[in-house]
Amino acid sequence: MAQSSAESDSESAYDRLLTKYKRIANVENAGGILSWDQQVMMPDEGTPARSQQMSALSALSHELLTDDEFGDLLDAAEADDPTDEQADVLRELRRDYERAARVPNDLVEKISAASSEAIPAWKQAKAEDDFEKFAPHLEKHVELKRQYAEHIDPDRDPYEVLFEDYEPCLPLEQAEEILAEVREVLVPMIADIRESDADLAVDAFEGEFPEEDQEELVRDALTTLGYPWERGRLDTAPHPFSSGTQFDARVTTRYDESDVLGSLFSTVHEFGHALYTLGLPDEHYATPLGEDRNLSVHESQSRLWENHVGRSRAFWRHFLPTLEDRFPEVDATVEEAYEAANRVYDDNLIRVEADELTYHLHIVIRFELERDLIAGDLDVEDVPEAWNDKYEEYLGIRPDTDSEGCLQDIHWAYGNFGYFPTYSLGSIMAAQLFSAAEADIDDLDGKLADGEFGDLREWLRENIHRHGRRYETNDLVKRATGEDFAADAFLDYVESKYGALYDL
């Protein structure tokens, strides 16, 4: 039923603008479900239809956001003496609108269709260790994303423009300075660890662990940490991820029967993502106040739970008996479990299986390669060799196959250039947030050891989750911790933890 003129006039421009935005958000959330299904449930030959479906939804979302009426309502709402909260929402909508309005609709459709076609090609290429099967799709993505960045701002570094899709509030220059500071500390620290004579209990979890039993274990972990099953589910995917809304946030993981810790930490990581999504306020669903801030903040939540909780002595004091109940062949002390969970690998090629120190060099490699790809300084056909050369230079190891090299991540199949730096930024932010939580929560370590995770969940909800996109990244971190976003807490954490483990 059409809205009458009188009803329309009675609504403020701000309210009418939010109504329009909610439609956009729901179209995008529907696309998220289709993307989840493509990775988890869709039949192998469903791609031709799914490609069209995703392209249509992307185009519709773009059309709705760039509609002249949306822009007119945005202008009117900004001129109508907004409250502080409304002004924060309008800031976010203005950024979204102006960015989208510069990109032609047909280019949005092409990018979406390219992603839907690239994902199964990447899966096949990875399974068959055949980069040439994926190369044309990567080439297409690089070209489309160059066009995309040029439309948004032809006078700036295209990679900087792409980075803003994932971290719109931190200047790339600030992000690079933080990452450089971390790199300068980690490279010599990792070299010292390789020379260390420390004898960690790295074999505490050696053995064969059936997939069905691992699934029961990670379900135990999710329940223990406080995952609300009535608003989520657990599935498997080639590349673990979490997606959804505050009413439906789903977790995926993957299993290796020789590596029980791999699936456990992957699941705890994705739990952190899901918890953030579920912590967004229900009453602001499908508005900027009910959406996550950005990927750096999102990754801070997953890394906090994976590293500062899941790899802690406190967690293992609580969870080791559960693991030994599921796998009676495991006979480890809490200290042995802690050492095994925090070993630094000198031969690991896979980012998602990396320890929390070498992990950041995996990120640096991807960051440097994709910058060169977008700049035109690296040809797609040369990616495998360039990848392998950088692994040898930074980590002292060289992949034998492209499946364990440049084909290991799904991100480029989506055309997600500029995404990777947010992983390290999130880890750095996680340390700063966890340090603040420790200061605010009485005996947090003791609570975690007793399996009491509620206070930490509530602290994160109060300080991060409930704000949605109201505050920009630096402001959000400052409000939560009292300090500017910086690498200090992360560096203090890793130097203390790994210095003790490896007698540095």
Side-chain angles (χ1 to χ4, degrees), residues 423-464:
Y423 284 127
S424 285
L425 292 170
S427 294
I428 295 160
M429 193 181 300
Q432 188 167 340
L433 292 172
F434 192 78
S435 178
E438 285 184 305
D440 289 347
I441 300 172
D442 184 48
D443 190 24
L444 177 56
D445 191 68
K447 286 182 168 65
L448 300 183
D450 291 337
E452 298 173 7
F453 300 96
D455 285 355
L456 180 57
R457 292 197 306 269
E458 184 56 34
W459 190 93
L460 292 168
R461 181 187 292 267
E462 177 68 20
N463 287 282
I464 303 295

Side-chain angles (χ1 to χ4, degrees), residues 29-325:
N29 289 337
I33 291 293
L34 288 182
S35 178
W36 172 88
D37 177 75
Q38 182 172 14
Q39 297 181 66
V40 176
M41 303 289 288
M42 190 185 78
D44 291 340
E45 297 187 8
T47 299
R50 185 54 46 86
S51 175
Q52 294 182 48
Q53 294 157 7
M54 296 294 289
S55 179
L57 288 178
S58 293
L60 175 58
S61 174
H62 189 258
E63 289 169 5
L64 292 170
L65 181 57
T66 58
D67 182 70
D68 287 343
E69 186 179 359
F70 191 94
D72 292 342
L73 286 171
L74 183 56
D75 291 339
E78 289 172 336
D80 195 23
D81 193 24
T83 66
D84 289 346
E85 182 177 282
Q86 289 174 341
D88 291 330
V89 170
L90 292 172
R91 178 199 66 230
E92 295 301 310
L93 296 183
R94 172 63 67 183
R95 181 190 292 119
D96 293 348
Y97 172 74
E98 291 191 347
R99 193 171 178 88
R102 295 179 179 133
V103 181
N105 201 53
D106 64 335
L107 180 56
V108 174
E109 291 189 67
K110 288 177 182 177
I111 291 171
S112 178
S115 296
S116 292
E117 293 164 3
I119 291 167
W122 166 77
K123 289 181 180 178
Q124 182 181 11
K126 182 179 180 181
E128 298 177 7
D129 185 30
D130 187 354
F131 178 76
E132 291 185 4
K133 281 188 167 64
F134 179 59
H137 298 275
L138 180 57
E139 184 78 57
K140 188 173 186 179
H141 265 316
V142 169
E143 178 56 34
L144 289 173
K145 283 306 181 89
R146 285 176 184 154
Q147 295 177 28
Y148 173 87
E150 185 173 5
H151 280 292
I152 291 173
D153 192 337
D155 297 324
R156 282 199 295 148
D157 173 1
Y159 187 83
E160 181 181 3
V161 176
L162 297 178
F163 174 70
E164 291 170 348
D165 275 345
Y166 310 105
E167 177 44 88
C169 306
L170 284 180
L172 181 60
E173 183 179 1
Q174 180 188 358
E176 288 179 316
E177 288 174 358
I178 291 173
L179 294 175
E181 186 178 355
V182 169
R183 183 169 60 244
E184 288 172 6
V185 172
L186 292 194
V187 169
M189 181 187 297
I190 291 167
D192 289 345
I193 287 172
R194 285 183 173 141
E195 297 298 319
S196 171
D197 293 328
D199 185 20
L200 273 61
V202 296
D203 59 352
F205 295 103
E206 287 188 351
E208 290 296 317
F209 305 92
E211 180 175 324
E212 58 270 23
D213 295 329
Q214 287 195 52
E215 180 178 345
E216 291 303 313
L217 178 72
V218 300
R219 286 182 179 275
D220 291 338
L222 288 171
T223 299
T224 296
L225 294 174
Y227 185 56
W229 291 101
E230 66 276 12
R231 293 196 180 198
R233 54 181 290 129
L234 172 70
D235 295 277
T236 59
H239 191 99
F241 70 99
S242 173
S243 67
T245 70
Q246 50 266 65
F247 296 100
D248 174 5
R250 307 178 184 191
V251 168
T252 67
T253 192
R254 65 181 178 186
Y255 304 101
D256 177 344
E257 295 197 340
S258 66
D259 180 18
V260 68
L261 293 186
S263 62
L264 177 62
F265 289 136
S266 170
T267 304
V268 173
H269 178 101
E270 299 306 335
F271 163 80
H273 281 304
L275 189 69
Y276 181 15
T277 302
L278 292 164
L280 297 166
D282 290 359
E283 65 272 21
H284 293 302
Y285 167 73
T287 79
L289 294 179
E291 297 172 338
D292 63 89
R293 170 61 279 165
N294 52 47
L295 288 185
S296 296
V297 176
H298 229 310
E299 190 66 15
S300 77
Q301 302 306 286
S302 60
R303 285 292 168 182
L304 187 150
W305 285 95
E306 177 189 354
N307 292 332
H308 297 271
V309 176
R311 297 183 193 273
S312 69
R313 286 186 178 88
F315 177 79
W316 285 103
R317 284 200 296 271
H318 175 71
F319 195 70
L320 183 58
T322 300
L323 187 146
E324 291 178 334
D325 284 344

Side-chain angles (χ1 to χ4, degrees), residues 344-364:
V344 175
Y345 295 94
D346 57 10
D347 60 353
N348 173 60
L349 292 161
I350 308 301
R351 176 185 64 84
V352 296
E353 297 173 4
D355 56 83
E356 64 179 322
L357 291 187
T358 59
Y359 181 86
H360 298 285
L361 299 184
H362 291 263
I363 295 301
V364 167

